[in-house]
Amino acid sequence: MRVEIWSDITCPWCYVGKARFEKGLAAFAHRDDVEVVHRSFELDPHRPKDDTAPVLEMLAKKYGRTLDEARAMEAHVASSARSEGLGYRTEGRDHGNTFDVHRLLHLAKARGRQGELLDLAYRANFAEERSVFDAETLVALGVEAGLDETEVRSVLADGSAYADDVRQDEREAAELGASGVPFFVLDRRYGVSGGQPAEVFTQALEQAWQGRALQPLGGAEADACGPDGCEVPRA
Amino acid sequence: MRVEIWSDITCPWCYVGKARFEKGLAAFAHRDDVEVVHRSFELDPHRPKDDTAPVLEMLAKKYGRTLDEARAMEAHVASSARSEGLGYRTEGRDHGNTFDVHRLLHLAKARGRQGELLDLAYRANFAEERSVFDAETLVALGVEAGLDETEVRSVLADGSAYADDVRQDEREAAELGASGVPFFVLDRRYGVSGGQPAEVFTQALEQAWQGRALQPLGGAEADACGPDGCEVPRA
């Protein structure tokens, strides 16, 4: 079975939701038969690349609140994160454009290191407050994830590298009806929206597992081979 | 959309079916949104690793035919292959255990080179009659596909490397009801068995595309972020 998770690295509920999903997955009997894939979703795709702002200021402005109210909002998310055993610092984090992080996550996917880089990037952003908007930090994270430094630098320097993969993920999110993240898609058949409780994920995995039967298309008679040999040619 | 193709590198209908599928895919309007993944299926998994035999002899024995009749069967497949623009030599090819080829295809997957290695392995086996049961040939094919030679050698030397990935593909094939190959699975929802005509694949792709709507699971209210910000914490 396959679960695709659309998310952004600066989305706190994606960070928390991923941990809840993993807890729900751990309680699922067929967990070893589940493949998990990250998909890109930018929360602020139109923001200029170098335009970063402190998260608290951004929140206060977006919701028309004071900085103290924004701090209380962050404290709420922090408390949810800590309930999942995740580090979460509420000060000093920046908001910005995450296109480069997503491009790098696609490089990591191509090199079999996506899960590693995803965890490192979340932790850097939320727990360590290492800026994911800083190219040298991204290089360091890529290397920690097991990527080749020269390749990471070359992808970062070339804005078109893996750009199509990010855009395609985002097109697919729109086609699947995802307007927010995290968004979980099970075998392209079931959708779970948001950082739901772990048991919701376990139930969704169980339901998707039950509903796996394929609908056959095409003619029954076809050229095929099996353990007993290939279809004897009709000639 | 995603298409998984279970096949074996020594399965002639997989070789032909892949070309037919690609022709069907090329006629599909949303072809650029289709990801294709190879899945492992061994036709003769219990055969000892070094026990190879000429294909014509194997066919004659399996179907109780003369060598000339076996040659006629091969000529039929060859003609189907050539209709798809594929090279196909009917003499000198061996049958054997393909576990190592599949392990290498999973290494290639992890390195983003699976499509390349798959095409090279098919061509080597069917058109060029380079033996895919010969370790040095596999090394050469891996390098031609863009893999690192040292890594290829180390995977070939360690029989457990990527073995679990091959076994998992085969377990999934059984769970999905595939008893023969090629077996095509569209978004884990529709199955197409065998090397069907190209237009069958185009139709199946169109039907799968129409049936993409997700069934939502879990509560509607959940912690999520979107372009307009995150859900305002309820605290």
Side-chain angles (χ1 to χ4, degrees), chain B residues 166-228:
Chain B
V166 178
R167 296 297 176 227
Q168 179 164 340
D169 281 358
E170 294 177 335
R171 267 201 312 277
E172 286 189 40
E175 285 166 9
L176 293 167
S179 56
V181 283
F183 189 72
F184 302 79
V185 175
L186 290 71
D187 275 353
R188 286 289 167 119
R189 202 184 295 235
Y190 302 97
V192 178
S193 190
Q196 307 256 356
E199 48 275 24
V200 168
F201 290 113
T202 309
Q203 284 162 18
L205 287 161
E206 278 160 4
Q207 184 159 346
W209 187 262
Q210 296 305 322
R212 280 171 312 142
L214 295 178
Q215 180 179 336
L217 296 178
E221 293 290 313
D223 301 323
C225 302
D228 297 329

Side-chain angles (χ1 to χ4, degrees), chain A residues 10 12 47 52-78 82 88-96 125-126 129 133, chain B residues 230 233:
Chain A
T10 53
R47 196 179 188 98
T52 62
V55 164
L56 291 176
E57 281 178 23
M58 181 275 293
L59 287 174
K61 197 169 153 191
K62 194 184 273 283
Y63 297 106
R65 307 282 184 97
T66 66
L67 270 182
D68 274 349
E69 285 169 334
R71 208 165 268 127
M73 290 162 68
E74 272 289 276
H76 170 81
V77 185
R82 289 181 195 128
Y88 197 101
R89 296 179 60 181
T90 53
E91 299 272 347
R93 195 153 48 82
D94 275 348
H95 175 76
N125 185 56
F126 288 109
E129 288 172 6
F133 308 108
Chain B
C230 298

Side-chain angles (χ1 to χ4, degrees), chain B residues 92-154:
Chain B
R93 195 155 48 82
D94 274 348
H95 175 76
N97 179 305
T98 52
F99 193 55
D100 282 352
V101 194
H102 286 291
R103 293 196 300 110
L104 218 52
L105 282 163
H106 277 281
L107 163 68
K109 184 184 182 193
R111 301 290 171 265
R113 297 281 187 270
Q114 192 179 51
E116 289 82 350
L117 182 58
L118 188 61
D119 282 337
L120 286 164
Y122 272 131
R123 196 167 68 202
N125 184 58
F126 288 108
E128 302 168 352
E129 287 170 8
R130 290 162 75 188
S131 174
V132 292
F133 307 108
D134 171 65
E136 285 307 313
T137 303
L138 288 181
V139 170
L141 291 171
V143 170
E144 286 167 44
L147 297 176
D148 176 74
E149 178 175 340
T150 311
E151 193 169 37
V152 170
R153 288 192 184 277
S154 121

